[in-house]
Amino acid sequence: MKKSGISTKLFVAVALLVALAGGYYLGGLRHVGNDEHAGHGHEASPEANVQYTCGMHPFIIQDEPGICPICNMKLTPMKQGTGSGGAQPVATGERKIKYWQAPMDPTYIRDEPGKSPMGMDLVPVYEDVVSGGGIQIDPVTTQNMGVRTEIVSRRDLSRTVRTLGLVTYDEPRQFSVNSKIEGWVERLYVNEDGRQVKKGQPLMEIYSPELVAAQNEYLLALQNSRRLSQSPFGEIAESSRRLLDASRTRLKYWDISDKQISALEQSGEVSKTLTLYSSYSGVVTMKKVVEGMRVMAGEELLQISDISKVWVNADIYEYELPWVKVGQTAQVELPFAPDRKLEGKISYIYPYLQSETRTVKARIEFPNPGQELKPDMYANIRIATGAVQGALAIPENAVLNSGKGQTVFVAMGEGRFEPRSVKTGVSDDSGYVQILSGLSEGDAVVVSAQFMLDSESKLREAIQKMIAPKSQQPSGQASAETTPELNDLFDEKPAPKQEELDDLFK
């Protein structure tokens, strides 16, 4: 038993010695490799300096071909002079420096060389270099993304505004009937809403004590004037005539017609009630009086509206307002007669917005002899707007709306794209939008996959502001960040102490 325990300890000790010897051997290989790498680092050929990057993620830079760890796309070789900021030369020959820029802060720009606020040398930016907001993507990647462009050109823009409208009353043709005296309604001739009335038609009979007294005064003034008309004193005759005129005027102010006054003069008898006649033709749209009720002076009794001519108020949304003008022709389709179209002119556009619908009312006037158009009826409206001649236009889907502004991407050639801020105008039915500023005729704008270009441009700008370009980093720093440290894999272990070995052989 004791001999077997000693054999086991000897086997464990031999295995430990073999493992330590292997570690020392690998450590020696590591040091040799580092020494060889250091000895030949300055003698690398130009091909060894070629770096590889991802067309979609330019901050991924490696010293050898491979696959992008983000999108799994094949890395492509970088052009000479390409930095991580995305600016690349686009022309050969003599180059002119446009300005000097801080490598860590693209917004720090100077007209001459110097130091940045972080103590780094300013780098030149040439006139033939893509602007800092632009990006460059490999042509193969551009094709895979499905990037399509369209040339900015001039064209005529037209739009047909389709909306809903509401038939309403012609406001100047609405009238109110009221009593100018206090009294009681003895008889009501028009006793229902919707009743057609004509001008001069009797509406109601009113009994008023004041009216009876006014008739008596007029009859007395009439008799007195007749008796004194032959008086030798001219002043007395003139005074009686003025009193008669004042009594007549009082009756007329209470809506007593000349015909009724003539009948009063001929009969010489006071009438208990006075008949009120309609001064307008139309339809009774509101009736507030009933037979037998007491009415006060100035109280509204009836409303009469003339619907021989009506309005149609069309709802125009805010973005359609630039297209709609006074005088344009509008077609109105009625729900009950879809095959029939009425044509009218826009006579007025209201200067305020409806808070409930966020629309502006456009008034269209129509004659309505047969009363086919009835107030509060809905109608479908089509407004043929005037065309904008020779407008600089691009497809609507080429514009990116960020809330702060509008941006398009312009293709500069050779896979380079530049974002441009634009100001847009009206848009037509064909999907084109007017460009007021920011583009020129002949520019090629991106009409598909521009959202990917926008995200790439913003990502590159953020990377450019956060980290220095790789060419500005100290030698060896990039490899220390991107290459695994071999020291972590092959750390040298200290040799075991003599006491530990003695314990194994006890």
Side-chain angles (χ1 to χ4, degrees):
M1 296 294 292
K2 184 176 183 181
K3 185 177 181 180
S4 176
I6 294 174
S7 300
T8 302
K9 291 183 178 182
L10 286 174
F11 177 80
V12 174
V14 172
L16 179 60
L17 290 175
V18 171
L20 292 176
Y24 292 139
Y25 176 76
L26 293 176
L29 290 179
R30 180 201 59 193
H31 289 297
V32 172
N34 289 342
D35 294 340
E36 290 178 356
H37 178 72
H40 298 283
H42 299 285
E43 300 177 2
S45 61
E47 291 78 3
N49 293 330
V50 176
Q51 295 177 322
Y52 296 82
T53 184
C54 175
M56 291 297 297
H57 305 89
F59 56 89
I60 301 297
I61 301 176
Q62 296 185 9
D63 296 330
E64 56 185 10
I67 300 298
C68 176
I70 298 178
C71 62
N72 292 328
M73 296 182 65
K74 185 178 179 180
L75 301 182
T76 57
M78 297 177 62
K79 297 180 181 180
Q80 293 295 329
T82 302
S84 62
Q88 301 184 21
V90 297
T92 59
E94 184 179 355
R95 305 172 66 193
K96 184 178 180 181
I97 296 177
K98 187 174 183 180
Y99 54 82
W100 297 77
Q101 185 183 62
M104 292 289 288
D105 184 7
T107 61
Y108 187 82
I109 297 175
R110 292 294 180 268
D111 295 332
E112 56 186 10
K115 295 286 186 179
S116 70
M118 300 181 66
M120 303 179 65
D121 292 334
L122 301 181
V123 295
V125 177
Y126 299 93
E127 290 184 349
D128 59 350
V129 171
V130 180
S131 63
I135 59 175
Q136 181 164 0
I137 299 178
D138 183 78
V140 176
T141 304
T142 302
Q143 184 176 3
N144 293 336
M145 291 170 57
V147 176
R148 293 186 294 106
T149 61
E150 186 166 329
I151 302 300
V152 181
S153 60
R154 294 192 177 274
R155 58 190 298 135
D156 296 340
L157 304 180
S158 61
R159 188 182 186 93
T160 300
V161 176
R162 297 174 175 84
T163 184
L164 291 177
L166 187 68
V167 181
T168 185
Y169 298 98
D170 188 346
E171 292 180 3
R173 295 172 179 265
Q174 289 183 294
F175 312 101
S176 175
V177 177
N178 54 71
S179 174
K180 294 181 174 61
I181 58 176
E182 179 183 354
W184 288 261
V185 178
E186 292 285 333
R187 186 175 181 183
L188 191 61
Y189 294 103
V190 179
N191 201 15
E192 56 187 22
D193 286 333
R195 178 81 176 271
Q196 290 277 354
V197 296
K198 295 181 179 180
K199 185 176 181 179
Q201 178 179 337
L203 299 177
M204 65 190 72
E205 291 183 2
I206 297 179
Y207 161 71
S208 173
E210 293 180 346
L211 188 58
V212 172
Q215 291 181 78
N216 285 322
E217 290 177 1
Y218 179 75
L219 291 177
L220 291 175
L222 179 62
Q223 294 174 2
N224 189 40
S225 176
R226 289 174 178 175
R227 186 175 64 254
L228 298 177
S229 61
Q230 304 299 326
S231 174
F233 302 99
E235 294 181 357
I236 297 176
E238 180 66 20
S239 176
S240 63
R241 186 183 62 81
R242 289 199 303 268
L243 181 61
L244 178 62
D245 292 341
S247 301
R248 177 187 289 270
T249 302
R250 184 181 182 187
L251 291 176
K252 294 181 68 174
Y253 283 170
W254 281 345
D255 290 341
I256 307 301
S257 65
D258 292 337
K259 184 178 180 180
Q260 291 175 299
I261 295 176
S262 298
L264 178 63
E265 293 175 355
Q266 294 176 3
S267 64
E269 295 181 359
V270 175
S271 176
K272 177 183 176 184
T273 61
L274 183 67
T275 304
L276 292 182
Y277 295 88
S278 176
S279 302
Y280 323 99
S281 297
V283 179
V284 177
T285 56
M286 182 180 293
K287 185 180 74 71
K288 298 182 178 180
V289 61
V290 294
E291 196 169 290
M293 71 174 291
R294 180 184 181 184
V295 296
M296 306 299 294
E299 183 179 355
E300 186 179 46
L301 306 177
L302 299 172
Q303 280 189 3
I304 299 176
S305 300
D306 184 3
I307 59 174
S308 61
K309 184 179 180 182
V310 295
W311 291 352
V312 178
N313 289 330
D315 290 327
I316 308 299
Y317 290 99
E318 297 177 61
Y319 69 91
E320 295 175 330
L321 282 177
W323 289 100
V324 181
K325 308 294 181 183
V326 174
Q328 291 175 343
T329 302
Q331 284 187 348
V332 175
E333 297 179 0
L334 302 176
F336 62 87
D339 297 334
R340 184 180 177 186
K341 296 180 176 59
L342 304 177
E343 286 194 358
K345 299 286 186 180
I346 297 179
S347 60
Y348 187 70
I349 298 176
Y350 287 79
Y352 52 84
L353 204 68
Q354 301 290 326
S355 59
E356 299 84 1
T357 59
R358 307 302 301 171
T359 57
V360 173
K361 299 290 185 183
R363 182 197 303 165
I364 309 167
E365 299 181 4
F366 288 96
N368 191 30
Q371 299 184 359
E372 188 175 16
L373 295 174
K374 296 175 174 52
D376 296 331
M377 178 184 290
Y378 285 104
N380 297 319
I381 301 175
R382 295 180 59 185
I383 303 174
T385 62
V388 180
Q389 304 291 335
L392 197 67
I394 62 173
E396 232 175 339
N397 57 2
V399 182
L400 297 174
N401 294 288
S402 63
K404 296 182 179 179
Q406 296 171 312
T407 306
V408 300
F409 275 88
V410 180
M412 308 299 294
E414 299 181 0
R416 292 178 291 111
F417 302 93
E418 181 185 46
R420 295 264 188 94
S421 295
V422 296
K423 184 178 180 181
T424 60
V426 296
S427 57
D428 69 350
D429 293 332
S430 301
Y432 283 83
V433 61
Q434 182 185 16
I435 298 298
L436 302 178
S437 63
L439 292 176
S440 301
E441 188 175 1
D443 290 341
V445 296
V446 178
V447 296
S448 66
Q450 62 268 40
F451 288 99
M452 300 179 67
L453 296 178
D454 183 49
S455 60
E456 177 67 18
S457 175
K458 293 180 179 178
L459 177 61
R460 179 168 295 186
E461 182 182 358
I463 294 297
Q464 184 181 8
K465 291 181 179 180
M466 289 190 297
I467 65 174
K470 188 173 183 179
S471 58
Q472 299 295 330
Q473 294 180 355
S475 60
Q477 180 178 350
S479 61
E481 295 178 356
T482 58
T483 306
E485 187 62 60
L486 294 178
N487 292 333
D488 296 337
L489 301 178
F490 299 103
D491 287 341
E492 296 183 4
K493 304 297 181 180
K497 298 180 181 180
Q498 185 64 35
E499 292 81 0
E500 296 177 354
L501 294 176
D502 293 341
D503 294 337
L504 295 175
F505 294 98
K506 286 183 180 180

